[in-house]
């Protein structure tokens, strides 16, 4: 299986180094876009969606920190990796406090940079999956149960009793009776409600992919596994998986 190319923005005022990085990522079928200045990089990011930006900290004109802030304004989901000399490590650490993914000191091994870029991309993909599941949750409107019958009151009482615990809960009922609404209500009433509520339909996934979806996989685990992928158990950690 051919891997999906990662869209990488490489910004460095040293042309030779910039070209070297571009060639490296092109060889492994990614989609690098190069820029020699911060101003040129802004034009690129206004035109192309970027997964990961690799920025030199020290450049003439707009420096890496200022460029980082502008990138986050234009494409907040883009992950940023800084390249820096020893003298600017303190600045790079400050950039990480602002939300950068990582920094490497120059010169660095290309394989090390490649690994960091892939981890940054994995973080971006993970955030997108969580956002997607959260959207589904909000779209379903499944937050509060409505109804005052004795049976409904019993369900509400059970939710109130089980929500504060860390117990696994089995919810039974025919299709369309509101099992997901009950699960969501338990989540909202629990101390996990600030963390993800992940809904997964096992029946909609082929058996051969079920294990990978739930548990994730490491790079090289099977044909087509070109990078580490987190499973839903990991994504839902400290939250709820229904």
């Amino acid at each position: 299986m051919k891997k999906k190319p990662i869209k990488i923005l490489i910004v460095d005022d040293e042309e030779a180094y910039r070209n070297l990085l571009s060639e490296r990522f092109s060889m492994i079928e990614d989609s690098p876009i190069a820029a020699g200045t911060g101003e040129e990089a802004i034009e690129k990011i206004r035109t192309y969606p970027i997964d990961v930006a690799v920025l030199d900290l020290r450049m003439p004109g707009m420096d890496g920190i200022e460029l980082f802030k502008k990138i986050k304004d234009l494409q907040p989901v883009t992950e940023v990796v800084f390249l820096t000399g020893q003298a600017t490590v303190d600045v790079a650490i400050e950039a990480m406090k602002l939300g950068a993914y990582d920094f490497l000191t120059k010169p660095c091994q290309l394989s090390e940079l490649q690994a960091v870029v892939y981890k940054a991309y994995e973080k971006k993909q993970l955030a997108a999956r969580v956002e997607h599941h959260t959207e589904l949750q909000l779209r379903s409107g499944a937050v509060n149960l409505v109804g005052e019958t004795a049976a409904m009151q019993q369900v509400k009482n059970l939710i109130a009793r089980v929500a504060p615990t860390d117990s696994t809960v089995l919810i039974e009922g025919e299709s369309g009776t509101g099992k997901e609404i009950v699960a969501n209500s338990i989540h909202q009433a629990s101390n996990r409600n600030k963390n993800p509520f992940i809904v997964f339909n096992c029946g909609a996934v082929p058996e051969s992919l079920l294990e990978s979806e739930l548990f994730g996989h490491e790079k090289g685990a099977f044909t087509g596994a070109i990078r580490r992928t987190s499973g839903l158990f990991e994504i839902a950690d400290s939250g709820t998986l229904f």
Side-chain angles (χ1 to χ4, degrees):
M1 179 187 296
K2 187 176 179 180
K3 79 179 184 69
K4 180 181 177 182
I6 301 175
K7 297 180 180 66
I8 305 167
L9 175 65
I10 299 168
V11 188
D12 197 302
D13 60 312
E14 296 180 29
E15 184 178 4
Y17 192 65
R18 188 170 70 240
N19 291 341
L20 176 65
L21 297 186
S22 296
E23 289 174 8
R24 172 73 178 207
F25 284 105
S26 294
M27 287 172 59
I28 49 181
E29 298 183 352
D30 287 316
S31 298
I33 300 170
T37 65
E39 291 77 11
E40 184 184 353
I42 292 300
E43 292 304 312
K44 301 285 188 184
I45 206 163
R46 288 186 193 277
T47 307
Y48 305 102
I50 301 297
D51 293 316
V52 181
V54 178
L55 311 182
D56 188 11
L57 254 178
R58 295 300 185 194
M59 297 182 291
M62 186 187 302
D63 66 11
I65 296 292
E66 186 180 354
L67 176 58
F68 166 77
K69 292 176 180 177
K70 290 185 179 296
I71 287 175
K72 285 297 182 178
D73 285 339
L74 292 168
Q75 293 191 29
V77 297
T78 299
E79 292 294 336
V80 175
V81 175
F82 277 109
L83 297 176
T84 174
Q86 291 286 354
T88 54
V89 168
D90 289 342
V91 182
I93 293 173
E94 185 62 31
M96 290 188 67
K97 291 179 181 178
L98 293 173
Y101 179 77
D102 204 348
F103 73 91
L104 297 173
T105 55
K106 295 168 70 175
C108 64
Q109 294 290 330
L110 295 184
S111 58
E112 182 183 10
L113 175 60
Q114 179 186 330
V116 170
V117 166
Y118 280 0
K119 287 177 183 177
Y121 177 72
E122 174 67 20
K123 180 187 174 187
K124 178 179 181 288
Q125 293 297 93
L126 180 62
R129 289 169 73 184
V130 170
E131 183 179 357
H132 172 69
H133 284 290
T134 303
E135 262 183 40
L136 292 178
Q137 171 194 345
L138 294 174
R139 209 176 297 159
S140 71
V143 177
N144 294 309
L145 290 171
V146 177
E148 299 300 331
T149 65
M152 186 61 74
Q153 193 59 49
Q154 184 179 9
V155 171
K156 290 180 180 180
N157 290 339
L158 284 171
I159 289 173
R161 286 171 57 192
V162 76
T165 75
D166 287 326
S167 299
T168 300
V169 179
L170 173 64
I171 302 171
E172 294 182 303
E174 295 178 7
S175 180
T177 54
K179 295 184 292 296
E180 185 175 336
I181 294 176
V182 171
N184 200 336
S185 297
I186 293 171
H187 175 76
Q188 295 300 328
S190 74
N191 58 9
R192 302 179 299 279
N193 58 20
K194 301 298 183 185
N195 297 307
F197 174 71
I198 304 298
V199 178
F200 179 61
N201 183 359
C202 295
V205 177
E207 184 178 354
S208 59
L209 298 178
L210 192 61
E211 181 179 354
S212 179
E213 281 292 315
L214 290 173
F215 295 97
H217 59 260
E218 297 294 330
K219 179 181 177 182
F222 52 84
T223 302
I226 48 83
R227 62 176 62 87
R228 183 185 183 278
T229 297
S230 299
L232 292 178
F233 283 117
E234 182 176 350
I235 295 172
D237 184 37
S238 300
T240 300
L241 176 62
F242 173 67

